[in-house]
Amino acid sequence: MYPFFRLARESFRNRKADPLPLLGTHEAEHICWPWDIDPWMELNNGRTLTLYDMGRVGLFLRVGAVAVMQENRWAGTVAGSSVRYRRRVRAFDRYQLRSRMIGWDKRFFYAEQSMWRKGDCTSHGLLRMAITDRNGLVETAKVAEAFGHDGDSPGLPEWVRAWIAAEDKRPWPPMQHEITAIAA
């Protein structure tokens, strides 16, 4: 079940937090609760993605994006993600969640998120996001300007550009006959 109470808490906590520029970093403290763990007694990988949602909510509130999106009747969507898991987070561990926008190209925004426990990074995510309206994707330059950013996107790091290039080579939709042949 989606953690609606956590979502409400994050929204409440960040509604009057200091504003951030579009490229600022949002940091929030969290606890891994027993309902976040899997049978191996550590933070479930699916729950990690949901908790990253909470980080983006805080970030979007603090950069003023939520109000702008409501005003323009825009919606946000995740169009791709890649997560590395490196350290365990167990029940009742406290951790810090960091979220920041890296930059954008013509169609998508790219954000990185990470979880930190006792100075160690436990997981790191790269997300491709889009802002949409009833006609489809809204051009990122228009969105960035509406969010108060003056100027172009900073250059995307090489590792982000490599991920974008790899994603561009991935077939969509997946070819069912190739998937079936590999499974056989």
Side-chain angles (χ1 to χ4, degrees):
M1 183 170 166
Y2 195 82
F4 290 106
F5 290 114
R6 269 190 182 154
L7 177 63
R9 189 189 84 169
E10 285 305 298
S11 297
F12 184 78
R13 269 192 347 188
N14 290 294
R15 77 191 193 302
K16 293 186 180 181
D18 291 337
L20 286 173
L22 181 57
L23 297 168
T25 299
H26 171 69
E27 298 181 6
E29 300 292 326
H30 293 274
I31 297 172
C32 179
W33 296 110
W35 44 87
D36 296 332
I37 61 174
D38 61 21
W40 293 272
M41 306 306 289
E42 61 187 52
L43 180 62
N44 176 276
N45 63 320
R47 180 61 89 178
T48 299
L49 291 173
T50 301
L51 293 169
Y52 278 161
D53 281 349
M54 301 298 131
R56 288 192 308 280
V57 167
L59 176 66
F60 273 42
L61 283 165
R62 293 187 63 199
V63 301
V66 173
V68 171
M69 290 171 68
Q70 289 173 340
E71 180 181 310
N72 288 286
R73 295 182 174 218
W74 291 342
T77 186
V78 172
S81 65
S82 176
V83 179
R84 280 185 172 177
Y85 301 93
R86 291 295 186 262
R87 302 272 186 271
R88 291 181 170 163
V89 177
R90 298 181 192 273
F92 303 109
D93 279 352
R94 292 180 180 275
Y95 61 91
Q96 183 183 62
L97 179 58
R98 298 177 188 165
S99 306
R100 75 179 187 102
M101 198 70 64
I102 300 173
W104 53 92
D105 56 25
K106 188 173 176 91
R107 299 176 62 210
F108 299 107
F109 287 91
Y110 299 91
E112 87 175 310
Q113 295 186 273
S114 55
M115 288 185 182
W116 297 79
R117 184 179 47 80
K118 297 181 180 178
D120 286 331
C121 185
T122 65
S123 65
H124 179 249
L126 172 63
L127 291 97
R128 171 188 285 173
M129 302 176 299
I131 303 297
T132 63
D133 64 13
R134 61 189 168 143
N135 300 313
L137 297 180
V138 180
E139 191 171 322
T140 53
K142 178 179 178 180
V143 174
E145 183 179 346
F147 288 174
H149 182 79
D150 184 26
D152 296 332
S153 169
L156 294 170
E158 172 58 32
W159 64 274
V160 175
R161 293 192 314 270
W163 181 80
I164 293 167
E167 282 291 299
D168 287 345
K169 291 180 181 175
R170 187 175 171 181
W172 189 262
M175 298 179 190
Q176 186 61 41
H177 69 279
E178 289 182 12
I179 293 170
T180 305
I182 292 171

